[in-house]
Amino acid sequence: MSKLQLPRTLFPLGALALTTSLMASPALAETLNIGVMGELASFDTSQVSGGVWESQVLMDVYEGLFKKSPDGELLPGMATEWEVSDDGKTYTFHMREGAKWSDGEPVTAEDFVFGWQHLLAPENASKYAYMLYPIVNAEAINTGDKAADTLGAESLDGGKTLKVTLNHATPYFPQLLTHYTSYPVPKHLVDEYGKDWVKLDHIATNGAFKPVDWVSQSKISVEKSSTYYDADEVSLDGVNYFTTEDRNAGISRFRAGELDVLREYPSSRYQWLSENLPDATHMSPYLGSYYYVLNNREGSPTADKRVREALNLAIRRNVLSEQIMAGSFKASTAMVPPGTSHYDTQHMDLGSDDMNARMAKAKALLQEAGYGPDHPLNLRLRYNTSDEHKKIAIAVAAMWKPLGVNVQMINSEATVHYQTIQQGDFDVARAGWIADYDDAENFLTLLHTGVGNNYGAYSNPEYDKLMDQAAQTLDLDAREKLLEKAENVALDDYAFIPMLTYVTRNLVNPKLEGWEDNVEDDHPSRWVHFTE
């Protein structure tokens, strides 16, 4: 066994002079007001829909084995020391002494084992269960083929040690352990209250804050947890997360001082904001892809590869990036965004740059697929409510119109949108994916057969085989080649419509410290404080 080596800086407790530079001395008690894009589905992590806004709330109230610094580096969380076997398959974590749930009960290794079993339980139907599949028997448990107690995670030494056994070495596993799928669940509360453990009058959390109020479609409020092991170093007294789907209204609330942070301001407002609120307007590189899902289920017109190729050929991505989004997105023809570690950006083959030639080919493909003036292609395009999503949808529909494609646009708030497309009730649907960890696998798994967030139900045996091979490949260069080959299989199949890559866009009160731009756009509130 050896000390865990990570792709990013990480210090075991013995080597950790705990980053006093990261921790501001508590000042006057303050409440942070954040405008987020949607509403949390549940404080039960097995029921989370996958929105970036949900991660913001959950990382404040829960803490995994590791946590993140303001700039995205990994730090010890519920684990303070750990070892990894030479073959990379066995991790041994030593739990933090004195760590407590907000009701005062100790946080133990058993809470992690139980939490992971809870997320994997078939009856909970977690869309994110696949995140734990690197662990021995996780997938079999999730599909109902094995019992929960066969999971390769066990609590030892009376809950002071957590031993995790993986199917194979997994380079991104340490980063995965900051994601909400790996958070613990308070077993003592589930034993007492069953599914009602998550209600606010029962819930306990183990992070720097605990939930105290929830007004549906309006606001979630959390307050500082007095039982958190670093409570004395947490400056904020609480955080309010306001559901702010109308981003322009969010800007008005920010300017009025009602919000200290607005997550993802409209791209169309960047120039005005940078000129009028330069100290508050943030934009930085981001590991995120904006794409359209194509329904590959039988009966949908987009299950036909010819239709998928035609729709891709007609998209003018530079127009979307430079004109519709005013340069606040970058054009993309791939799923994995530029800047992803140990990966070269791939590209969908769209043939000629001549749009006339592309449109002619697209028309021929649709005609071959049986569509024309007497039998037009009718598509339902779903997007979640947002001015920029609407602008992009209108622009795309206009690009398809010369092909004789009729588009019915359907919008709904984010949680409903993702629930609907999860059920397959669409032809084309807007989706975005922000990296849970800096690895190409995190994006490419979205197209693996059976994965919860594979909204289009795309399935290709060759793709799955390459992804499965990559998952078992220790050599990073060989693994990269397998992942790149897999992406090209999906790109050649026109499995989806890549369009744009993200940048982070946030308005941040200049009086805040401890809120730093980073490529994953994670900003734990436990580091944030107000200056005078």
Side-chain angles (χ1 to χ4, degrees):
M1 305 284 280
S2 60
K3 285 290 184 183
L4 175 58
Q5 299 298 311
L6 295 165
R8 293 185 175 188
T9 306
L10 185 110
F11 305 96
L13 188 62
L16 185 69
L18 213 161
T19 59
T20 54
S21 64
L22 293 178
M23 299 188 301
S25 299
L28 292 174
E30 297 277 3
T31 298
L32 180 67
N33 294 314
I34 304 177
V36 294
M37 288 190 65
E39 182 164 64
L40 178 70
S42 175
F43 280 108
D44 180 343
T45 54
S46 74
Q47 301 304 303
V48 172
S49 65
V52 174
W53 56 91
E54 294 178 301
S55 179
Q56 172 69 65
V57 179
L58 294 171
M59 76 172 61
D60 283 348
V61 300
Y62 291 109
E63 186 168 290
L65 294 167
F66 299 144
K67 63 176 179 282
K68 289 188 177 181
S69 69
D71 61 359
E73 300 291 336
L74 298 185
L75 295 171
M78 290 291 106
T80 54
E81 295 180 353
W82 48 88
E83 299 86 39
V84 60
S85 62
D86 292 338
D87 64 4
K89 292 183 180 181
T90 304
Y91 288 72
T92 304
F93 300 97
H94 304 285
M95 304 301 295
R96 182 180 293 276
E97 292 185 15
K100 295 180 180 180
W101 292 98
S102 55
D103 62 1
E105 290 295 312
V107 179
T108 68
E110 186 176 7
D111 291 319
F112 279 89
V113 174
F114 178 77
W116 297 354
Q117 291 173 340
H118 176 77
L119 188 94
L120 291 165
E123 62 270 22
N124 285 329
S126 170
K127 293 195 310 178
Y128 267 78
Y130 69 88
M131 294 276 283
L132 298 181
Y133 281 8
I135 303 173
V136 166
N137 290 333
E139 183 172 7
I141 293 167
N142 188 228
T143 57
D145 294 331
K146 289 196 174 182
D149 61 8
T150 65
L151 183 66
E154 53 184 322
S155 173
L156 305 172
D157 305 325
K160 295 181 180 179
T161 303
L162 175 65
K163 181 180 178 182
V164 183
T165 307
L166 306 182
N167 295 305
H168 43 76
T170 305
Y172 57 84
F173 188 64
Q175 294 187 50
L176 186 153
L177 295 176
T178 66
H179 191 262
Y180 55 75
T181 48
S182 69
Y183 290 161
V185 169
K187 185 176 184 299
H188 64 285
L189 293 182
V190 179
D191 288 344
E192 183 174 358
Y193 298 111
K195 291 184 177 180
D196 287 344
W197 76 272
V198 79
K199 292 185 176 181
L200 292 189
D201 52 353
H202 299 318
I203 194 171
T205 59
N206 72 319
F209 300 89
K210 61 180 182 180
V212 293
D213 190 33
W214 188 342
V215 179
S216 181
Q217 295 299 323
S218 177
K219 179 181 72 170
I220 290 175
S221 297
V222 303
E223 66 180 26
K224 178 178 170 180
S225 174
S226 62
T227 63
Y228 183 60
Y229 62 88
D230 253 357
D232 290 345
E233 303 297 340
V234 176
S235 294
L236 295 175
D237 196 43
V239 185
N240 295 316
Y241 312 91
F242 292 92
T243 302
T244 315
E245 293 195 359
D246 184 336
R247 317 310 287 156
N248 285 305
I251 292 173
S252 297
R253 296 184 69 181
F254 181 86
R255 295 181 68 199
E258 297 174 19
L259 298 177
D260 300 299
V261 176
L262 176 66
R263 301 300 300 267
E264 200 166 331
Y265 57 78
S267 57
S268 60
R269 301 295 301 278
Y270 172 67
Q271 185 171 348
W272 187 92
L273 290 169
S274 62
E275 292 172 355
N276 291 274
L277 299 172
D279 294 336
T281 303
H282 290 234
M283 180 184 283
S284 66
Y286 199 17
L287 295 183
S289 291
Y290 188 115
Y291 63 103
Y292 273 3
V293 180
L294 296 173
N295 195 340
N296 282 261
R297 296 170 179 84
E298 185 176 356
S300 174
T302 49
D304 188 324
K305 179 182 175 181
R306 296 167 296 187
V307 173
R308 298 197 300 269
E309 182 178 359
L311 296 177
N312 265 289
L313 287 170
I315 300 292
R316 299 172 183 255
R317 292 162 176 83
N318 286 332
V319 171
L320 295 178
S321 169
E322 297 168 13
Q323 298 181 28
I324 307 301
M325 292 293 102
S328 60
F329 283 80
K330 303 299 180 184
S332 173
T333 55
M335 175 62 82
V336 182
T340 303
S341 295
H342 218 99
Y343 197 82
D344 289 334
T345 304
Q346 306 301 300
H347 299 282
M348 179 179 283
D349 182 7
L350 297 171
S352 171
D353 290 335
D354 181 349
M355 283 305 301
N356 290 329
R358 280 169 52 175
M359 293 299 283
K361 183 177 180 181
K363 289 179 181 178
L365 285 165
L366 290 182
Q367 185 176 12
E368 184 181 329
Y371 298 100
D374 297 330
H375 183 214
L377 175 58
N378 299 314
L379 297 176
R380 293 170 301 150
L381 192 167
R382 290 189 178 271
Y383 64 92
N384 50 305
T385 305
S386 159
D387 287 343
E388 63 186 29
H389 300 334
K390 182 178 180 179
K391 286 180 181 179
I392 290 174
I394 291 172
V396 168
M399 293 173 188
W400 288 339
K401 189 175 181 62
L403 300 179
V405 178
N406 298 322
V407 178
Q408 177 191 5
M409 288 184 284
I410 307 168
N411 73 294
S412 55
E413 62 91 12
T415 301
V416 172
H417 170 75
Y418 281 105
Q419 289 173 345
T420 302
I421 66 174
Q422 176 75 26
Q423 296 163 3
D425 185 13
F426 70 99
D427 296 311
V428 182
R430 180 265 159 187
W433 190 261
I434 307 303
D436 297 309
Y437 44 88
D438 183 4
D439 192 275
E441 185 274 346
N442 188 225
F443 290 90
L444 297 179
T445 195
L446 298 172
L447 297 171
H448 196 292
T449 301
V451 165
N453 291 310
N454 182 352
Y455 303 115
Y458 176 71
S459 182
N460 184 311
E462 183 183 0
Y463 183 89
D464 294 346
K465 181 180 178 181
L466 288 165
M467 290 296 294
D468 293 343
Q469 287 177 343
Q472 300 179 47
T473 301
L474 298 179
D475 181 271
L476 293 181
D477 291 335
R479 178 177 180 268
E480 177 185 345
K481 287 183 173 61
L482 287 167
L483 291 172
E484 290 170 356
K485 188 174 181 181
E487 181 171 14
N488 278 292
V489 168
L491 293 174
D492 290 346
D493 212 10
Y494 302 96
F496 64 105
I497 302 178
M499 295 195 293
L500 302 163
T501 57
Y502 281 93
V503 294
T504 67
R505 301 193 307 272
N506 297 296
L507 291 179
V508 183
N509 186 336
K511 292 184 178 180
L512 289 183
E513 288 189 354
W515 200 104
E516 297 184 18
D517 293 327
N518 59 79
V519 294
E520 295 182 64
D521 206 20
D522 286 334
H523 306 280
S525 299
R526 62 94 64 238
W527 302 116
V528 175
H529 66 282
F530 288 85
T531 59
E532 294 295 331

